[in-house]
């Protein structure tokens, strides 16, 4: 569904991605793990059109979207739940979900709203509450639900468990697994919790200093001694290359 070849991107004269090649097959969860500053968030943002790719190509469902504006990319069926949630804090939960649905046919709104409130029942209890007053976990649920309201075919999730308590994170990962299973949703997941990211993943990649250094199935990377040493078992992610 998503094919990235030779992707270079960055900010001004600072290049953050150095020739990324990545495939996200339809219906799969593909996880991307790596240390802070490795280029994970830049990759997701570049897929969405900001920053622009300096070189290479991004093909989504057979169409080159490398130079399309972000709003056109969204209308093609690609949704992004960004790092830090970035919900509209002054808007209610319902209004945030309405914003997510702007790129879709209004006839689906009631159906999609009900589906999100079943998936995230806490949001149903907070429907008229301002987003900025929600807990961190509730805000992350809202960020994902808002993205889902656009009826995407590909969902980009950036650090969904960041700053959340372990029990809340566990529930959130269960929600992500359910979205993939029940909706056959294709997901590209960026996540610091390497264990959960690899456990969920059909395919996974490790990015180091803007380059993909290791790829494989999630199960295989979970068993890889070098990966376990660098990213699992309580270790802090290292910046050196994993081989």
């Amino acid at each position: 569904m998503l094919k990235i070849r030779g992707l270079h991107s960055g900010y001004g004269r600072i290049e953050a991605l150095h020739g990324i090649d990545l495939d996200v097959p339809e219906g799969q969860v593909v996880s991307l793990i790596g240390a802070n500053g490795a280029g994970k968030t830049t990759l997701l943002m570049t897929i969405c059109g900001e920053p622009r790719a300096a070189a290479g190509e991004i093909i989504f469902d057979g169409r080159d979207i490398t130079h399309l504006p972000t709003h056109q990319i969204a209308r093609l069926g690609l949704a992004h739940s960004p790092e830090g949630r970035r919900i509209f804090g002054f808007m209610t939960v319902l209004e945030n979900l309405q914003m997510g649905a702007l790129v879709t046919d209004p006839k689906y709104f009631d159906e999609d709203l009900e589906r999100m409130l079943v998936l995230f029942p806490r949001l149903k209890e907070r429907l008229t509450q301002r987003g900025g007053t929600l807990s961190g976990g509730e805000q992350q649920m809202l960020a994902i639900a808002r993205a889902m309201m656009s009826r995407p075919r590909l969902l980009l999730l950036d650090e969904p468990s960041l700053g959340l308590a372990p029990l809340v994170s566990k529930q959130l990962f269960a929600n992500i697994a359910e979205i993939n299973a029940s909706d056959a949703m294709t997901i590209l997941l960026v996540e610091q919790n390497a264990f959960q990211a690899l456990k969920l993943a059909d395919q996974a990649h490790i990015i180091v200093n803007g380059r993909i250094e290791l790829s494989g199935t999630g199960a295989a990377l979970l068993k890889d001694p070098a990966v376990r040493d660098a990213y699992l078992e309580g270790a802090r992610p290292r910046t050196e290359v994993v081989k």
Side-chain angles (χ1 to χ4, degrees):
M1 177 176 285
L2 182 71
K3 180 184 294 185
I4 297 172
R5 292 293 181 269
L7 186 64
H8 292 255
S9 181
Y11 308 93
R13 296 184 178 181
I14 301 174
E15 185 172 87
L17 303 178
H18 313 293
I20 295 287
D21 292 332
L22 184 72
D23 290 313
V24 181
E26 187 170 3
Q28 291 193 6
V29 176
V30 175
S31 292
L32 189 67
I33 65 173
N36 289 330
K40 305 184 301 296
T41 292
T42 299
L43 176 58
L44 295 195
M45 292 177 64
T46 302
I47 292 170
C48 293
E50 185 59 43
R52 289 288 180 196
E57 61 180 12
I58 305 168
I59 307 298
F60 174 58
D61 198 24
R63 177 171 179 175
D64 190 341
I65 65 169
T66 312
H67 303 294
L68 288 183
T70 299
H71 71 277
Q72 289 187 19
I73 294 172
R75 290 187 180 278
L76 292 175
L78 193 153
H80 183 201
S81 177
E83 181 182 10
R85 299 146 198 164
R86 300 187 193 177
I87 61 166
F88 299 106
F90 60 91
M91 291 183 175
T92 66
V93 168
L94 178 59
E95 289 168 339
N96 270 272
L97 296 175
Q98 289 171 330
M99 291 295 290
L102 285 177
V103 299
T104 64
D105 191 321
K107 71 180 182 182
Y108 298 115
F109 181 79
D110 290 342
E111 173 189 341
D112 292 344
L113 176 63
E114 180 61 26
R115 191 160 56 101
M116 289 303 101
L117 298 184
V118 169
L119 183 64
F120 300 110
R122 292 294 293 273
L123 297 183
K124 187 173 185 178
E125 302 169 9
R126 306 283 192 270
L127 208 54
T128 60
Q129 188 171 325
R130 290 183 183 270
T133 66
L134 302 179
S135 70
E138 291 165 347
Q139 289 188 16
Q140 187 59 70
M141 294 172 194
L142 178 56
I144 295 174
R146 182 182 61 185
M148 288 289 292
M149 288 296 292
S150 70
R151 298 190 139 237
R153 298 186 58 224
L154 173 61
L155 180 62
L156 310 182
L157 299 177
D158 194 351
E159 303 284 10
S161 76
L162 183 65
L164 303 185
L167 285 177
V168 179
S169 295
K170 183 178 180 180
Q171 179 58 55
L172 198 64
F173 286 118
N175 292 142
I176 294 170
E178 184 177 349
I179 289 170
N180 171 248
S182 63
D183 295 78
M185 179 65 62
T186 308
I187 298 173
L188 178 55
L189 171 66
V190 161
E191 178 54 52
Q192 281 280 347
N193 187 329
F195 175 78
Q196 290 289 355
L198 295 177
K199 184 179 177 182
L200 272 176
D202 296 290
Q203 300 291 324
H205 307 272
I206 294 177
I207 184 170
V208 179
N209 297 328
R211 293 179 173 86
I212 300 293
E213 297 291 350
L214 188 64
S215 300
T217 65
L221 293 189
L222 271 174
K223 297 176 182 178
D224 188 300
V227 174
R228 296 188 67 86
D229 178 54
Y231 296 97
L232 304 171
E233 298 176 347
R236 292 184 178 180
R238 299 193 304 234
T239 56
E240 61 261 32
V241 173
V242 176
K243 294 184 178 178

